[in-house]
Amino acid sequence: MKQKVLLTGFEPFGGEKVNPSWEAVKQLHGEENDEIRLVAEQIPTVFKQSIETLETLLQRHNPDIVICVGQAGGRTDITPERIAINIDDARIPDNLGNQPIDEPISDHGPAAYWTSLPIKRMVKEMKEAGVPASVSQTAGTFVCNHIFYGLMDYLGRTSSNVRGGFIHIPFIPEQTADKEAPSLSLDMIVKAIRIAAVTAARHESDIRTVGGATH
Amino acid sequence: MKQKVLLTGFEPFGGEKVNPSWEAVKQLHGEENDEIRLVAEQIPTVFKQSIETLETLLQRHNPDIVICVGQAGGRTDITPERIAINIDDARIPDNLGNQPIDEPISDHGPAAYWTSLPIKRMVKEMKEAGVPASVSQTAGTFVCNHIFYGLMDYLGRTSSNVRGGFIHIPFIPEQTADKEAPSLSLDMIVKAIRIAAVTAARHESDIRTVGGATH
Amino acid sequence: MKQKVLLTGFEPFGGEKVNPSWEAVKQLHGEENDEIRLVAEQIPTVFKQSIETLETLLQRHNPDIVICVGQAGGRTDITPERIAINIDDARIPDNLGNQPIDEPISDHGPAAYWTSLPIKRMVKEMKEAGVPASVSQTAGTFVCNHIFYGLMDYLGRTSSNVRGGFIHIPFIPEQTADKEAPSLSLDMIVKAIRIAAVTAARHESDIRTVGGATH
Amino acid sequence: MKQKVLLTGFEPFGGEKVNPSWEAVKQLHGEENDEIRLVAEQIPTVFKQSIETLETLLQRHNPDIVICVGQAGGRTDITPERIAINIDDARIPDNLGNQPIDEPISDHGPAAYWTSLPIKRMVKEMKEAGVPASVSQTAGTFVCNHIFYGLMDYLGRTSSNVRGGFIHIPFIPEQTADKEAPSLSLDMIVKAIRIAAVTAARHESDIRTVGGATH
């Protein structure tokens, strides 16, 4: 049965002119085949407001699967995230100037939520397609982790069958002209997110392969 | 009131000849002043057995504070850990050849536990003493995270007032002779752990300062 | 006037199964348009023998421009090299087991040779095409620097009008499956080398743009 | 016979409040034993003016050995430099706002000069003393490389028996409070420079040990 996959990308932040997460998912908007139908939306890079926007989108689109995507400048590969933690601790202000320090995202929520996406399968499929990828053990404590936690908390509170998670992506080359930072081409990022969507649509359970970190 | 602080370090692992965590804490063993009394013990770098050893040590020493220390080769500074997660996912075998993949540490435990140490105070004090330090958002998924989770789980299960947490430390220079990796001198690491112990003894609550990560 | 560009790539070395330099240049072999004709050849990753092979190829193909390409695992972008230095100092053995330490490449040659390719134009053109690129100030002291020095020395000794230089490239994704290292797709590397060839064919002189390093 | 060693450090630059090179060498000023007498001087972080200052100091102090020291923020260890190249290419303005791009340091000088210090011995001695160290193949293209080239050029032009070279050092911890960058303690840097001076005084020739780079 065809599954509707909601993809979200963020507004640019931290002085960048583009956010590769939005540049990538907007290219996938409207793609459809026998397995998936992709819908892409942009989310403000703002604490709280990002979660409110996401909840509205969940109600509007009623997706089967949700994949939020965000920029992780400095990483070398595509990194599906394993876990969201219940804390906001902003190193820089968000796009409305909020800078929460050590505040819980949900006052009564658990310390952390696991992704419900098959992240190791995704990594395996991405690598087999020539896209560098690995599991990440931390989504940070900024708006990316915030929306990831907010997503999993909402899905839990609403006893939803919807599965969801978060993927961090590197800079794209146009962002690294003046920095010494790794990057991946936008084409490759688009390809990776398409693979993530298809993999999530095909498989509810994950595989057991090495994907941890010694620290 | 003088507080007893149990410090633990690990056996060498991953082909290293020493583990700077044990080299450092053993130097602090027996230190005592009006505020603290330090006891150092070594823990095997082995899943499950490390937690059993720790529980035995907790019962034997009956400490007020527990600071487990471990090596994070490749990091540039002293990193008190914020959170332990309920998963073992070993990239390499432990010292007995175990390599669990995506297995929970505790079948019925929560997804994660927060440290109960004042990690931002510790970082502040370390920096003021000239020691590079920052909060870490992930302790990985190997034996370091394993014992950190096991510690917090035990303290929770036993309704203990004991406070505890985990600190990752970089390589020491003698380990990086043949690698291009950052290191800190053993003296500086010893100094950092002493600061951590004193800070934990003086302060139950933490301060609010920036210490997050954008990803 | 159409210019013949000789491209060279190396054999795999250091335990790798492929060398992206050869994978890339062999795809370009035979390409031809009004400006350039590309010829690609493989060079052994062996001290001395690599230079002998290159000299034979120079005599056989009689190119107008020579671009030697080599793998720089760990770099994040395409890096045209500025300078070749007169020293072999091998961190690992070459593919025949030679490991020279602090030996001059040419007993009577100068300490260093500058590239005669317009490397800053190349970097500019690559970036404008979306390929991450920057000037490098060191080609190392292994076979890559060796052949670069050998090339420039030969061109100097033979009072040749041929222009030449060296470009280092990152790993490709299939090489980084089990390492945490940056990579670029083979497509992007191929594109970058094509741009380098066209840029060298069009421009003898370079532009003045920032491309240095503070250290 | 006791040798006089001139040590130079730079003014802070690039927005830093201190320059660890000056902080370190000034601590060594006046040290004396049977082998060495150390004199430390500060050099402006300014193209041309730095070389003029150095030449004046060479005439005033008439040293046997000169070791210029400079900050290489981001490096993990002490790095004696192998080679100085005849180019200024400033990524940032110097302390007087000069930003030369691809200008030769000496119009008639060679492309590069080798250090005349026993850099591999220095690295060996530093490591044996617990200080992380390695040979560097590039001093960059900013004022550090500039003064290194200027030093070697002056010693060559004046047919001097004076031996000299350059050592790059990492940040000190107080500089990395707000950056994720490696650092070494000032004590360790001071120790390293003392070792460099003693080693240079004892040995004119170098040893043959691995110290190269694959790229």
Side-chain angles (χ1 to χ4, degrees):
Chain A
M1 202 196 72
K2 189 179 298 190
Q3 303 205 37
K4 188 194 275 187
V5 183
L6 174 62
L7 304 171
T8 71
F10 279 110
E11 293 169 342
F13 69 94
E16 297 293 327
K17 286 181 189 156
V18 298
N19 189 315
S21 66
W22 173 238
E23 298 304 313
V25 302
K26 80 179 177 194
Q27 284 198 21
L28 290 162
H29 181 70
E31 274 198 20
E32 187 163 5
N33 61 27
D34 287 353
E35 295 179 299
I36 51 170
R37 184 153 74 88
L38 303 180
V39 179
E41 295 274 5
Q42 193 179 34
I43 303 270
T45 306
V46 176
F47 289 101
K48 288 193 173 71
Q49 193 180 308
S50 54
I51 294 181
E52 290 161 15
T53 301
L54 180 63
E55 294 191 0
T56 303
L57 292 170
L58 290 169
Q59 287 154 16
R60 182 188 308 157
H61 292 298
N62 198 23
D64 301 292
I65 293 165
V66 186
I67 303 178
C68 297
V69 183
Q71 165 192 302
R75 290 199 186 167
T76 61
D77 59 355
I78 306 286
T79 45
E81 295 290 346
R82 188 193 286 269
I83 194 166
I85 65 176
N86 189 13
I87 199 97
D88 289 334
D89 192 2
R91 179 170 291 278
I92 55 173
D94 70 15
N95 284 2
L96 285 184
N98 306 303
Q99 192 171 7
I101 303 288
D102 289 345
E103 293 178 13
I105 298 167
S106 163
D107 285 339
H108 305 293
Y113 284 110
W114 304 106
T115 186
S116 52
L117 299 179
I119 55 175
K120 291 197 169 175
R121 275 192 201 274
M122 288 175 175
V123 165
K124 180 168 176 286
E125 297 290 334
M126 289 177 196
K127 282 180 170 179
E128 286 177 8
V131 180
S134 62
V135 169
S136 166
Q137 328 298 333
T138 175
T141 59
F142 194 55
V143 185
C144 289
N145 174 73
H146 181 84
I147 204 173
F148 180 17
Y149 187 94
L151 167 65
M152 303 317 293
D153 192 56
Y154 177 86
L155 298 180
R157 275 188 286 113
T158 56
S159 302
S160 170
N161 287 324
V162 178
R163 289 176 296 132
F166 194 92
I167 297 178
H168 262 122
I169 58 171
F171 284 132
I172 50 178
E174 68 187 273
Q175 295 180 285
T176 62
D178 299 319
K179 338 179 165 76
E180 268 190 66
S183 60
L184 281 184
S185 69
L186 187 56
D187 282 359
M188 195 168 270
I189 294 171
V190 168
K191 188 173 162 186
I193 298 172
R194 186 184 293 115
I195 289 170
V198 171
T199 305
R202 287 185 189 163
H203 303 281
E204 295 214 359
S205 67
D206 207 351
I207 49 174
R208 287 192 152 192
T209 52
V210 170
T214 49
H215 59 261
Chain B
M1 204 195 71
K2 189 179 298 192
Q3 304 205 36
K4 186 194 277 188
V5 183
L6 173 62
L7 303 172
T8 70
F10 279 109
E11 292 170 341
F13 68 95
E16 297 292 328
K17 287 179 189 160
V18 298
N19 190 314
S21 66
W22 173 238
E23 298 305 312
V25 302
K26 80 179 177 194
Q27 285 199 19
L28 290 161
H29 182 69
E31 273 198 20
E32 185 163 7
N33 61 26
D34 288 352
E35 295 180 299
I36 52 171
R37 185 153 75 86
L38 302 180
V39 180
E41 295 275 7
Q42 194 179 34
I43 303 269
T45 305
V46 177
F47 289 100
K48 288 193 175 70
Q49 193 180 309
S50 54
I51 293 180
E52 290 161 14
T53 303
L54 179 63
E55 293 190 1
T56 304
L57 293 168
L58 289 169
Q59 287 154 17
R60 181 188 310 155
H61 293 297
N62 198 24
D64 302 294
I65 293 164
V66 187
I67 303 179
C68 298
V69 184
Q71 164 193 302
R75 289 198 187 169
T76 62
D77 59 355
I78 306 288
T79 44
E81 294 290 346
R82 188 194 285 270
I83 193 165
I85 65 176
N86 189 13
I87 199 100
D88 290 335
D89 191 4
R91 177 170 293 279
I92 54 174
D94 70 17
N95 285 1
L96 285 186
N98 306 302
Q99 190 171 7
I101 304 289
D102 290 345
E103 294 179 11
I105 299 167
S106 163
D107 285 339
H108 305 292
Y113 283 110
W114 304 106
T115 185
S116 53
L117 299 177
I119 54 175
K120 291 197 169 176
R121 276 192 200 276
M122 288 174 173
V123 166
K124 181 170 175 284
E125 296 292 333
M126 289 177 195
K127 282 180 171 179
E128 286 176 9
V131 180
S134 63
V135 170
S136 166
Q137 328 300 333
T138 176
T141 58
F142 194 57
V143 184
C144 289
N145 174 75
H146 181 84
I147 202 173
F148 180 16
Y149 188 94
L151 168 64
M152 302 317 294
D153 192 57
Y154 177 86
L155 298 180
R157 276 189 285 113
T158 56
S159 304
S160 169
N161 288 323
V162 178
R163 289 176 297 131
F166 194 92
I167 297 179
H168 262 123
I169 59 171
F171 284 133
I172 51 177
E174 67 186 272
Q175 295 180 283
T176 62
D178 298 319
K179 339 178 163 77
E180 267 188 67
S183 60
L184 281 183
S185 68
L186 187 57
D187 282 359
M188 195 168 272
I189 293 171
V190 168
K191 189 173 161 187
I193 297 171
R194 187 185 293 114
I195 289 170
V198 171
T199 304
R202 287 185 189 163
H203 303 282
E204 296 213 358
S205 67
D206 207 350
I207 50 174
R208 286 192 153 191
T209 52
V210 170
T214 49
H215 58 261
Chain C
M1 202 194 74
K2 190 179 297 192
Q3 305 204 37
K4 188 194 274 189
V5 183
L6 173 63
L7 304 172
T8 70
F10 279 110
E11 293 170 341
F13 69 95
E16 296 293 327
K17 287 181 189 155
V18 298
N19 189 315
S21 66
W22 173 238
E23 299 304 313
V25 302
K26 80 178 178 195
Q27 285 199 19
L28 290 161
H29 181 69
E31 272 199 20
E32 186 163 5
N33 62 27
D34 288 351
E35 296 179 297
I36 52 171
R37 185 153 74 88
L38 303 180
V39 179
E41 295 274 6
Q42 193 179 34
I43 303 270
T45 306
V46 177
F47 289 100
K48 289 192 174 71
Q49 194 179 309
S50 54
I51 294 180
E52 290 160 14
T53 302
L54 179 63
E55 294 190 0
T56 304
L57 292 170
L58 289 169
Q59 288 154 16
R60 181 187 309 156
H61 292 298
N62 197 24
D64 302 293
I65 294 164
V66 186
I67 304 177
C68 297
V69 184
Q71 165 192 302
R75 291 201 186 165
T76 62
D77 59 357
I78 306 287
T79 45
E81 294 290 346
R82 187 193 288 270
I83 193 166
I85 66 176
N86 189 12
I87 198 100
D88 289 334
D89 192 3
R91 179 171 291 280
I92 55 173
D94 70 14
N95 284 1
L96 285 185
N98 306 302
Q99 191 171 8
I101 303 289
D102 290 346
E103 294 178 11
I105 298 167
S106 163
D107 284 339
H108 305 291
Y113 283 111
W114 304 107
T115 186
S116 52
L117 299 179
I119 54 175
K120 290 196 170 176
R121 275 192 202 273
M122 288 174 173
V123 165
K124 181 169 173 285
E125 296 291 333
M126 289 177 196
K127 281 180 171 179
E128 286 177 8
V131 180
S134 62
V135 170
S136 167
Q137 327 299 332
T138 176
T141 58
F142 194 55
V143 184
C144 289
N145 174 73
H146 181 83
I147 202 173
F148 180 17
Y149 188 93
L151 167 65
M152 302 317 294
D153 193 56
Y154 177 86
L155 298 181
R157 277 189 283 113
T158 56
S159 303
S160 170
N161 288 323
V162 178
R163 290 176 295 131
F166 193 92
I167 298 178
H168 262 124
I169 59 171
F171 285 132
I172 50 177
E174 67 187 273
Q175 293 180 285
T176 62
D178 298 319
K179 338 178 165 77
E180 267 190 66
S183 60
L184 281 184
S185 69
L186 187 56
D187 283 357
M188 195 170 272
I189 293 171
V190 168
K191 188 173 162 186
I193 297 171
R194 186 184 293 115
I195 290 170
V198 171
T199 304
R202 288 186 189 164
H203 302 281
E204 295 215 357
S205 67
D206 207 351
I207 49 173
R208 287 191 152 193
T209 52
V210 171
T214 49
H215 57 262
Chain D
M1 204 196 69
K2 189 180 298 191
Q3 304 206 38
K4 187 194 275 188
V5 183
L6 174 62
L7 304 172
T8 70
F10 280 110
E11 293 170 342
F13 70 94
E16 296 293 326
K17 286 181 188 156
V18 299
N19 189 316
S21 66
W22 173 239
E23 299 304 312
V25 301
K26 80 178 177 194
Q27 285 198 21
L28 291 162
H29 181 69
E31 273 199 19
E32 187 164 5
N33 61 27
D34 287 352
E35 296 180 297
I36 52 170
R37 185 154 74 86
L38 303 180
V39 179
E41 296 275 6
Q42 194 179 34
I43 304 270
T45 306
V46 176
F47 289 100
K48 290 193 171 68
Q49 194 180 303
S50 54
I51 293 180
E52 290 160 16
T53 302
L54 179 63
E55 294 190 1
T56 303
L57 292 169
L58 289 169
Q59 288 154 17
R60 182 188 308 156
H61 292 298
N62 197 21
D64 302 293
I65 293 165
V66 187
I67 304 178
C68 297
V69 184
Q71 165 192 302
R75 290 200 186 166
T76 61
D77 58 356
I78 307 287
T79 45
E81 294 290 346
R82 188 193 286 269
I83 194 165
I85 65 176
N86 189 12
I87 198 98
D88 289 335
D89 192 3
R91 179 171 291 280
I92 55 173
D94 70 16
N95 284 2
L96 285 184
N98 306 302
Q99 191 171 6
I101 303 288
D102 289 345
E103 294 178 11
I105 298 167
S106 163
D107 285 339
H108 304 292
Y113 284 110
W114 304 106
T115 186
S116 53
L117 299 178
I119 54 175
K120 291 196 169 176
R121 275 193 202 274
M122 289 175 174
V123 165
K124 180 169 175 284
E125 296 291 333
M126 289 177 196
K127 281 181 170 178
E128 286 177 10
V131 180
S134 61
V135 170
S136 167
Q137 328 299 333
T138 175
T141 58
F142 194 56
V143 184
C144 289
N145 173 73
H146 181 84
I147 203 172
F148 180 16
Y149 187 94
L151 168 64
M152 303 316 295
D153 192 56
Y154 177 87
L155 298 180
R157 276 188 285 114
T158 57
S159 302
S160 170
N161 288 323
V162 178
R163 289 175 297 132
F166 193 93
I167 298 179
H168 262 122
I169 59 172
F171 285 132
I172 51 177
E174 67 187 273
Q175 295 180 284
T176 61
D178 299 319
K179 336 177 165 77
E180 267 190 68
S183 60
L184 282 183
S185 69
L186 187 56
D187 283 358
M188 195 168 270
I189 293 171
V190 167
K191 188 174 163 187
I193 297 171
R194 186 184 292 113
I195 290 169
V198 171
T199 305
R202 288 185 188 164
H203 303 283
E204 295 214 358
S205 67
D206 207 352
I207 50 174
R208 287 193 153 191
T209 53
V210 171
T214 48
H215 57 262

